[in-house]
Amino acid sequence: MKKTALVIMAAGIGSRFGGGIKQLEPVGPNGEIIMDYSIHDALEAGFDKVVFIIRRDLEKDFREIIGNRIEKIAKVEYAFQELDALPAGYEVTPGRTKPWGTGQAVLMVKGLVNCPFLVINADDYYGKEGFRLIHDYMVSEMDGSGDVYDICMGGFILSNTLSDNGSVTRGVCRAGADGYLETVNETYNIRMTEDGLKAEDEQGNPVSVSPSQPVSMNMWGLPVKFLEELEQGFPEFLDHLKEGDVKSEYLLPRIIDEMVQSGKARVRVLNTPDKWFGVTYKEDKAAVVAAIRKLIADGVYSEKLFG
């Protein structure tokens, strides 16, 4: 059977472990964090190894909190996203303090994966269905050698991905009747108000969104040659930065949308009814703990996750 890898973007989880970093808050009955549940679901779906994208200064603590445990049940590798991990001839913009976004993060796994791979966020709970659908698509349907990039994504219902404690950012999608992605737009400050759902574009202008729209949660199934596209596109992104820009990011949804619009990629939207939850805000933790408890009570997970 075709090999598949799970790539977890965890470089943005904060500079200190154990100091209230939201993505590493225990949410399971035995101290499990959200990443544990994603890894469990991915391994159950058939993924063969896990690649963590972290910052190098976090490596020791990261291994102690999760990496060493996962190494006992799966092959684990590490990639490092750093601010100065730039193509030859490029320098960090003066004043910039954060790395360059999800596109740069995924580029860091080049050389570590040689098979189709699934990218996810470290701090999102996705549910089992997305892992199963994407694994099966990558193994049975994905054409990794065609002229057009064959990509798939987990399509979540927008209303299933909102936080009760503040606004969220989502890749709002439009899919055709054939199930393929037509557009994905990074959409900001999405929140439910008394007047309905509100959202904004990158410049802060109001945009219209529907509760039933599919959204990307950065759950992308990618052929390994996609890494070459990221590598080629990163210098172009850097070349187009305005002088003094210390915030722009090389983002997966934007990269993939541009590829779709230019005909370089086709993206199969694999819809999942699962409800997202995560610790976007500190106040979310209680709801996440309760959601995990309910999943255990419903028999979705064992009390002790990895037996």
Side-chain angles (χ1 to χ4, degrees):
M1 181 174 286
K2 188 187 293 185
K3 295 286 188 181
T4 54
L6 173 68
V7 172
I8 302 179
M9 296 186 291
I13 59 175
S15 57
R16 294 175 298 113
F17 282 86
I21 302 303
K22 62 183 190 232
Q23 296 92 336
L24 296 162
E25 288 280 345
V27 294
N30 297 289
E32 295 91 350
I33 62 179
I34 286 179
M35 255 186 287
D36 282 305
Y37 290 92
S38 293
I39 292 166
H40 173 277
D41 292 344
L43 296 178
E44 185 178 75
F47 286 85
D48 300 288
K49 76 171 182 178
V50 180
V51 182
F52 293 112
I53 305 171
I54 61 173
R55 292 205 318 273
R56 197 170 290 276
D57 64 301
L58 302 182
E59 181 178 8
K60 179 178 180 293
D61 291 333
F62 192 95
R63 287 179 183 270
E64 289 176 1
I65 286 180
I66 186 167
N68 293 342
R69 284 191 291 106
I70 301 305
E71 285 178 7
K72 295 175 182 176
I73 57 172
K75 180 176 175 58
V76 170
E77 295 196 72
Y78 292 87
F80 300 96
Q81 183 183 18
E82 300 291 346
L83 179 60
D84 60 358
L86 295 170
Y90 290 86
E91 296 181 353
V92 177
T93 308
R96 188 177 185 105
T97 59
K98 293 185 177 181
W100 302 87
T102 51
Q104 185 214 17
V106 174
L107 180 54
M108 296 300 100
V109 308
K110 194 169 189 292
L112 294 178
V113 297
N114 58 1
C115 60
F117 61 99
L118 168 60
V119 173
I120 64 168
N121 296 328
D123 54 351
D124 289 324
Y125 173 82
Y126 292 95
K128 289 177 178 285
E129 185 74 356
F131 290 99
R132 184 186 66 77
L133 290 171
I134 290 177
H135 175 268
D136 290 353
Y137 182 89
M138 293 199 301
V139 168
S140 303
E141 297 186 50
M142 180 177 281
D143 179 1
S145 59
D147 293 335
V148 175
Y149 288 89
D150 187 355
I151 296 171
C152 63
M153 60 163 273
F156 288 77
I157 299 167
L158 177 55
S159 60
N160 282 346
T161 72
L162 301 176
S163 169
D164 292 331
N165 296 304
S167 63
V168 297
T169 297
R170 299 288 180 252
V172 176
C173 303
R174 186 176 74 237
D178 58 359
Y180 281 89
L181 185 69
E182 294 180 348
T183 62
V184 55
N185 291 306
E186 199 78 352
T187 305
Y188 302 83
N189 203 20
I190 306 173
R191 70 276 184 202
M192 187 61 75
T193 72
E194 291 181 358
D195 299 323
L197 207 54
K198 303 292 185 182
E200 298 169 1
D201 65 15
E202 191 172 10
Q203 287 73 42
N205 302 309
V207 294
S208 177
V209 291
S210 163
S212 60
Q213 274 184 277
V215 295
S216 158
M217 296 295 299
N218 268 337
M219 193 180 202
W220 301 101
L222 302 165
V224 69
K225 73 172 188 172
F226 179 80
L227 295 170
E228 298 172 9
E229 186 71 24
L230 287 181
E231 188 172 48
Q232 292 168 11
F234 195 24
E236 184 178 346
F237 162 81
L238 295 168
D239 288 340
H240 284 85
L241 287 177
K242 295 179 180 177
E243 186 173 353
D245 184 346
V246 297
K247 292 187 175 180
S248 289
E249 294 182 314
Y250 189 48
L251 295 173
L252 276 181
R254 192 168 296 152
I255 295 162
I256 291 172
D257 184 62
E258 289 173 358
M259 292 171 67
V260 169
Q261 302 314 314
S262 67
K264 292 177 72 172
R266 277 167 60 83
V267 181
R268 180 76 173 274
V269 180
L270 302 172
N271 292 312
T272 169
D274 286 334
K275 182 172 173 55
W276 165 91
F277 53 77
V279 278
T280 305
Y281 298 93
K282 197 77 173 175
E283 296 80 5
D284 289 332
K285 181 181 175 181
V288 172
V289 170
I292 293 288
R293 274 290 180 195
K294 185 175 189 312
L295 289 167
I296 292 169
D298 291 345
V300 177
Y301 298 108
S302 301
E303 182 90 11
K304 190 165 175 53
L305 186 61
F306 292 108

